[in-house]
Amino acid sequence: MTDGTAGQDRFADDLVFGADPVLEPWNRAGVLSAADLHVVDRLGRLSGERITDDAKLGVALVVRAVRQGSTCLALDGVTESIAGSAPEDVRVPSAQALADALARCPLVAGAGTGPLRPLVLADSDDGPLLYLHKYFRQEHVIRSVLDDRAARAPEVDPDALREAVYRAFGEPGAADADGSSDDVATVDARQRLAGFVAAGRWITVLAGGPGTGKTFTVARILATLEHLAEHRLRIGLCAPTGRAAAQLESSVASYRRDATPIRAVTVHSLLSWRPGANPRYNRTNTLPHDVVVVDETSMLSMTAMSYVLDAIRPDARIIFVGDPHQLESVDAGAVLADLVDRVEAGAATTTADARVRAAEAATLAGMRVSDDAGGPPDPDAVVDDTDPDAVVDDTDLSRISAGVITLRRGHRNSPGIAALATAINDGDADRVADLVQSGLPGVALVDPTRPDPVQEAVTTWGRDLLVAADQGDEVTALAALNRHRVLCAHREGRWGVQGWTDQITDWIAGGHTYLPLTPATAMSRPGRPILVTVNDKETDTSNGDCGVVIRDVRATPGPGDLTSGAELPLTVAFARGDSGVHRVHPARLSDVVPAYAMTIHRSQGSQYGAVTVVLPPVGSELLTRELLYTAITRAQEQVWIVGTLDVLKAAVNRRVARASGLRSRIRQVSQ
């Protein structure tokens, strides 16, 4: 699918000739892909036994579910998941019929010809769940590690802990611990609470939207743990992508100041995990770190999460950081959302003692425990009355006792963008529509047929970038680079990155004719923003790095240089830290694409002054609440949403539904 067109035609290349007669109608209706049918056929052949029609459909649907990002198939939700798309005149079996058929299926119960059992049927609080064995095993690993670590706690002296937290975060009601003007002006109570929780638990989840101070909090947590430690801590920083890892390293370094720098790496590098192979580090060969921080956890797949937890020593702390409302991993799993939601679902292991410790920590952090959560607290406790979120209710206390801290006070997005993000997360489509039409500062809905405001903003941005780059002013060019970005749901088509890249190039050219902007021509002229698409140690660039082509004022023209005429040769400048610049010759960068526009998935973890969000048509499968939220929260000051009200409401009303057993208690397994 390229541009979100609905209908059967988009599946025309996915039809299977001579398909199983039971599954063929589902394939023709677009519910099942060719890959789904081929997997079912292969498994059936390996079992060597007959598979009933209902079981065959169940197997195909679980393969489809994994392809769409779930780790299992929730049988009770099958009817809803295929609503409106089931083939005509075909019986849709009930959840119970599917469960009964699958329980007898040789792929679940085992075949007489051998021990092959590639599927697992489990009973849970949310009804029967069907897994491919791989994902059931991975969920079991995650659940076991979480429960084991929740059942015990590090030994920490209470007085020493309070001293360490107050030293790192400041005492309740006080300003930032060191009063630095470049830090968050005031440490809020939830950030301070995170310090207490992370020191007193083996696993902590630090959740929050953009600009809520997650990285700032992580740096202070590390300072707290280092102060408590009797030896120098071995700290591991990692993230799913090279770009996210580089940003984590830079941000933590800026808050740690004179502390020893900590290098951040990708999750794959941390585990020595190469494609097609198992990680070098695992439960029998654990990582040496005392503390491991995983940033952008929402991008972590189920497989990656199970490998991370399996490889960390039982006596090492783990801190997961991210925004559970953002887009999930491109692979199966929504682990960060699962870790947050499993508390409310009752799947998280908590005790009365854990709730008591959580209430004590909240009080020490400057929060008030409400009566419904077991208050009142110590009457002599200092409560941060300047923080409207410094109140712990019963739900909050349950999450805190399970090690989940949600930061709520934003410091980065404009009030208008923050209000819009809240309405999107709440699923309030009418409120979202009112906000984008109310003249709210920093927020605007743009008619796709009349994109004048976007054209003006993008043209000004592109030409300012060109002027600075042509003069070789790398500092100004890099500052301009992140001033604006166009974000699209799709790569191809009218509403995708390619279509908008062509449009933006025409706007900036102002009638001049240039070669079409492609990866091959992206670095042929100064002022072009480019995006690196692979990790490359030789050039010290990461997948997701954005740079700008500039004139190299330090060099002299040479006949072999890639130039525009006889001017100075070109270089590509990348920002490093707060003021550093990393330069790479264009000839050394082979895996790059133009970056006037980029996909919303690519933008995760980044921030821009202004953002233009291009919404696809209503029929697009990518049009979801999570996609819209991720896109608009990339903007700090201004967001233009190109689309109609109907499309906007459709996005708000459609949530990504990924089935998972982590949010439920597994009671019985058919194996």
Side-chain angles (χ1 to χ4, degrees):
M1 183 174 69
T2 58
D3 57 2
T5 304
Q8 184 178 312
D9 288 345
R10 63 191 173 108
F11 297 100
D13 295 334
D14 206 23
L15 295 177
V16 179
F17 179 76
D20 185 295
V22 175
L23 302 180
E24 188 272 339
W26 298 90
N27 175 232
R28 186 166 296 280
V31 176
L32 298 177
S33 71
D36 302 334
L37 269 65
H38 289 314
V39 171
V40 175
D41 180 69
R42 180 62 173 167
L43 290 176
R45 292 176 183 272
L46 288 174
S47 75
E49 297 189 12
R50 180 180 177 276
I51 299 175
T52 65
D53 292 351
D54 284 355
K56 198 176 295 181
L57 177 61
V59 175
L61 289 177
V62 75
V63 177
R64 169 184 182 262
V66 171
R67 176 169 53 82
Q68 295 181 334
S70 296
T71 56
C72 60
L73 175 69
L75 298 186
D76 286 351
V78 165
T79 302
E80 182 180 351
S81 69
I82 60 176
S85 55
E88 297 181 359
D89 301 325
V90 173
R91 181 185 66 88
V92 180
S94 67
Q96 188 60 56
L98 283 173
D100 292 343
L102 289 164
R104 298 187 300 269
C105 177
L107 298 176
V108 174
T113 56
L116 178 69
R117 296 181 181 180
L119 301 179
V120 176
L121 184 63
D123 190 19
S124 76
D125 289 350
D126 297 321
L129 306 175
L130 181 66
Y131 291 84
L132 296 179
H133 192 275
K134 167 185 174 181
Y135 295 104
F136 179 79
R137 185 177 66 252
Q138 290 173 355
E139 279 197 5
H140 177 71
V141 168
I142 296 172
R143 189 180 296 105
S144 298
V145 173
L146 293 176
D147 291 345
D148 174 69
R149 290 173 176 262
R152 50 191 180 84
E155 294 184 5
V156 182
D157 180 80
D159 294 333
L161 173 58
R162 180 165 60 182
E163 178 188 350
V165 171
Y166 288 171
R167 177 176 177 176
F169 291 88
E171 297 187 22
D176 178 19
D178 56 16
S180 300
S181 60
D182 60 341
D183 277 344
V184 179
T186 301
V187 175
D188 67 49
R190 290 182 179 272
Q191 291 174 317
R192 190 179 298 107
L193 173 62
F196 283 104
V197 173
R201 291 185 58 87
W202 293 117
I203 294 183
T204 302
V205 178
L206 184 63
T212 52
K214 294 188 296 294
T215 308
F216 169 87
T217 305
V218 166
R220 299 298 172 93
I221 289 174
L222 295 178
T224 300
L225 297 176
E226 288 174 314
H227 183 68
L228 288 170
E230 298 178 353
H231 60 277
R232 182 176 176 179
L233 292 177
R234 292 163 294 186
I235 299 172
L237 303 179
C238 67
T241 67
R243 172 62 175 164
Q247 288 183 323
L248 175 64
E249 180 178 324
S250 176
S251 299
V252 168
S254 69
Y255 293 126
R256 286 171 59 84
R257 296 183 181 85
D258 298 331
T260 304
I262 308 173
R263 183 169 179 261
V265 297
T266 65
V267 171
H268 281 73
S269 294
L270 181 78
L271 301 175
S272 292
W273 177 18
R274 299 183 180 277
N278 291 324
R280 173 189 172 191
Y281 292 101
N282 50 51
R283 67 178 59 189
T284 60
N285 181 35
T286 56
L287 291 164
H289 304 93
D290 303 301
V291 183
V292 174
V293 177
V294 184
D295 198 15
E296 299 293 346
T297 308
S298 64
M299 301 168 65
L300 214 60
S301 68
M302 178 69 67
T303 300
M305 173 63 85
S306 68
Y307 284 162
V308 167
L309 290 176
D310 210 30
I312 297 176
R313 299 194 333 256
D315 61 342
R317 289 179 174 85
I318 313 170
I319 304 171
F320 293 113
V321 186
D323 185 350
H325 299 295
Q326 286 193 30
L327 290 166
E328 294 94 348
S329 166
V330 296
D331 296 318
V335 289
L336 181 61
D338 287 343
L339 294 182
V340 174
D341 292 345
R342 70 195 302 265
V343 180
E344 294 184 10
T349 300
T350 57
T351 64
D353 288 344
R355 289 178 64 88
V356 171
R357 292 195 301 269
E360 292 174 346
T363 301
L364 291 172
M367 306 183 74
R368 180 174 60 85
V369 181
S370 64
D371 292 342
D372 71 330
D378 182 352
D380 298 325
V382 178
V383 178
D384 188 354
D385 293 324
T386 65
D387 184 358
D389 291 321
V391 178
V392 176
D393 59 20
D394 187 64
T395 300
D396 253 341
L397 194 62
S398 295
R399 290 194 172 196
I400 296 167
S401 64
V404 178
I405 307 296
T406 301
L407 304 181
R408 298 172 180 172
R409 183 190 292 182
H411 304 276
R412 187 181 300 165
N413 300 120
S414 70
I417 295 174
L420 182 62
T422 299
I424 292 171
N425 276 341
D426 291 342
D428 192 341
D430 292 335
R431 174 62 175 163
V432 170
D434 290 341
L435 288 173
V436 299
Q437 297 180 102
S438 65
L440 187 68
V443 175
L445 184 67
V446 178
D447 187 339
T449 64
R450 300 177 59 186
D452 296 349
V454 172
Q455 179 177 353
E456 181 180 354
V458 170
T459 302
T460 301
W461 165 60
R463 290 176 178 174
D464 289 348
L465 193 58
L466 174 60
V467 170
D470 200 47
Q471 295 174 348
D473 187 349
E474 58 192 17
V475 174
T476 302
L478 287 171
L481 179 62
N482 287 337
R483 205 173 71 204
H484 196 139
R485 198 61 51 86
V486 175
L487 304 180
C488 306
H490 298 276
R491 291 187 178 90
E492 308 294 337
R494 177 185 175 188
W495 307 102
V497 170
Q498 187 58 58
W500 271 82
T501 296
D502 294 342
Q503 180 63 80
I504 294 168
T505 304
D506 290 343
W507 285 342
I508 296 173
H512 296 282
T513 301
Y514 294 139
L515 290 174
L517 195 52
T518 65
T521 63
M523 294 181 292
S524 64
R525 299 183 62 84
R528 297 277 176 76
I530 62 100
L531 172 72
V532 179
T533 59
V534 297
N535 296 325
D536 187 350
K537 292 183 179 180
E538 291 188 1
T539 60
D540 190 24
T541 55
S542 301
N543 184 3
D545 273 350
C546 283
V548 58
V549 182
I550 66 169
R551 299 227 178 263
D552 192 352
V553 296
R554 307 168 304 158
T556 56
D561 290 313
L562 182 62
T563 67
S564 178
E567 295 101 346
L568 290 171
L570 302 178
T571 189
V572 183
F574 298 89
R576 289 292 185 267
D578 294 332
S579 58
V581 178
H582 177 57
R583 306 170 190 85
V584 183
H585 193 280
R588 300 181 64 198
L589 296 169
S590 57
D591 296 289
V592 298
V593 294
Y596 282 128
M598 59 196 300
T599 63
I600 297 170
H601 280 83
R602 281 278 191 188
S603 74
Q604 289 193 93
S606 299
Q607 286 288 307
Y608 312 101
V611 161
T612 294
V613 182
V614 182
L615 296 181
V618 173
S620 171
E621 294 180 359
L622 297 182
L623 190 65
T624 65
R625 185 185 306 174
E626 291 79 4
L627 182 99
L628 179 61
Y629 169 83
T630 301
I632 68 116
T633 54
R634 300 311 93 198
Q636 296 174 295
E637 301 171 0
Q638 176 70 49
V639 60
W640 289 278
I641 302 174
V642 181
T644 65
L645 274 179
D646 288 342
V647 172
L648 183 62
K649 287 185 176 182
V652 176
N653 287 327
R654 185 183 181 197
R655 288 196 67 182
V656 174
R658 291 193 171 187
S660 166
L662 282 181
R663 295 189 294 264
S664 182
R665 289 176 294 185
I666 302 294
R667 295 191 296 266
Q668 183 180 346
V669 178
S670 65
Q671 268 201 317

